[in-house]
């Protein structure tokens, strides 16, 4: 039997699927950024070029997670009101919208980049998604620059989002972070 307090806490928390999608997305973004950074900034002699295949596979996983997350949010996910003042609550909604937009842009640019390079997508060797375009080296370089810019922007915005959550937890002590934690 649950108490009234337990019911209030569960209604002030996101549902398990939303929480799982949130943390899966966060983990994928961090690992994708790390793999791209490692293979782009390591000497070729280290043999880290294979990280590109991992990066591409995890990019496909991020695309699937994003589609799943948006579908869940539209159909069944629990939505909670933004917490804060007349200034911080709308800012919170804006940051969340920006994060979703950056994720979508980043996934789109990643797919476009790969296809404009004339490369198939392989998901850990289990299946391939063929290129839809004729290779275009000049455009792929432009898309790569935008993909890198979007990646860095996503990391900065997600980092600010994480710092804001920690600020809520340790300074404001208002329970906002608890809403997205797997356990209270």
């Amino acid at each position: 039997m649950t108490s009234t307090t337990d019911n209030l806490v569960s209604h002030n928390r996101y549902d398990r699927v939303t929480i799982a999608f949130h943390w899966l997305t966060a983990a994928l973004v961090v690992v994708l950024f790390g793999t791209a950074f490692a293979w782009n900034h390591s000497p070729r002699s280290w043999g880290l070029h294979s990280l590109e295949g991992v990066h591409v596979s995890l990019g496909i996983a991020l695309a699937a997670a994003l589609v799943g997350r948006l579908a869940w949010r539209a159909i069944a996910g629990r939505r909670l009101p933004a917490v804060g003042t007349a200034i911080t609550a709308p800012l919170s909604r804006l940051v969340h919208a920006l994060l979703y937009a950056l994720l979508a842009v980043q996934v789109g640019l990643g797919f476009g980049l790969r296809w404009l390079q004339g490369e198939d997508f392989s998901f850990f060797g289990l299946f391939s998604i063929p290129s839809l375009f004729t290779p275009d080296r000049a455009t792929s370089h432009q898309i790569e620059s935008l993909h890198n810019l979007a990646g860095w922007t996503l990391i900065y915005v997600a980092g600010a989002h994480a710092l804001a959550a920690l600020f809520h937890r340790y300074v404001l002590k208002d329970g906002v972070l608890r809403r997205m934690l797997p356990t209270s």
Side-chain angles (χ1 to χ4, degrees):
M1 182 170 192
T2 61
S3 70
T4 305
T5 304
D6 290 339
N7 286 333
L8 288 174
V9 169
S10 68
H11 289 310
N12 289 325
R13 294 172 50 87
Y14 288 97
D15 58 274
R16 289 181 181 163
V17 174
T18 299
I19 291 170
F21 273 129
H22 174 271
W23 292 108
L24 174 62
T25 302
L28 285 169
V29 166
V30 168
V31 174
L32 280 160
F33 185 82
T35 58
F37 191 84
W39 110 65
N40 282 320
H41 294 88
S42 299
R44 292 279 181 218
S45 63
W46 287 9
L48 296 179
H49 188 70
S50 62
L51 284 178
E52 184 178 1
V54 172
H55 182 83
V56 168
S57 294
L58 293 176
I60 294 169
L62 179 62
L66 181 60
V67 169
R69 185 175 183 167
L70 291 170
W72 178 255
R73 182 175 167 86
I75 295 167
R78 181 176 297 141
R79 293 182 189 211
L80 299 177
V83 174
T85 66
I87 295 173
T88 60
L91 182 60
S92 172
R93 286 188 293 276
L94 177 66
V95 168
H96 284 95
L98 180 58
L99 284 168
Y100 277 109
L102 284 168
L103 287 167
V105 165
Q106 188 66 337
V107 165
L109 288 170
F111 274 68
L113 172 60
R114 192 74 177 173
W115 284 331
L116 286 168
Q117 290 172 332
E119 300 283 339
D120 291 352
F121 281 92
S122 174
F123 185 73
F124 296 110
L126 298 174
F127 64 86
S128 261
I129 302 170
S131 177
L132 300 178
F133 303 107
T134 303
D136 182 339
R137 190 171 184 86
T139 304
S140 74
H141 284 300
Q142 293 172 339
I143 298 295
E144 183 175 16
S145 293
L146 291 172
H147 186 63
N148 291 339
L149 176 62
W152 279 101
T153 304
L154 180 58
I155 286 296
Y156 285 128
V157 174
H161 173 67
L163 289 174
L166 293 173
F167 182 78
H168 276 279
R169 169 77 170 116
Y170 294 108
V171 177
L172 299 178
K173 299 179 182 182
D174 57 9
V176 168
L177 179 58
R178 191 175 320 121
R179 298 172 0 153
M180 193 52 84
L181 292 177
T183 60
S184 56

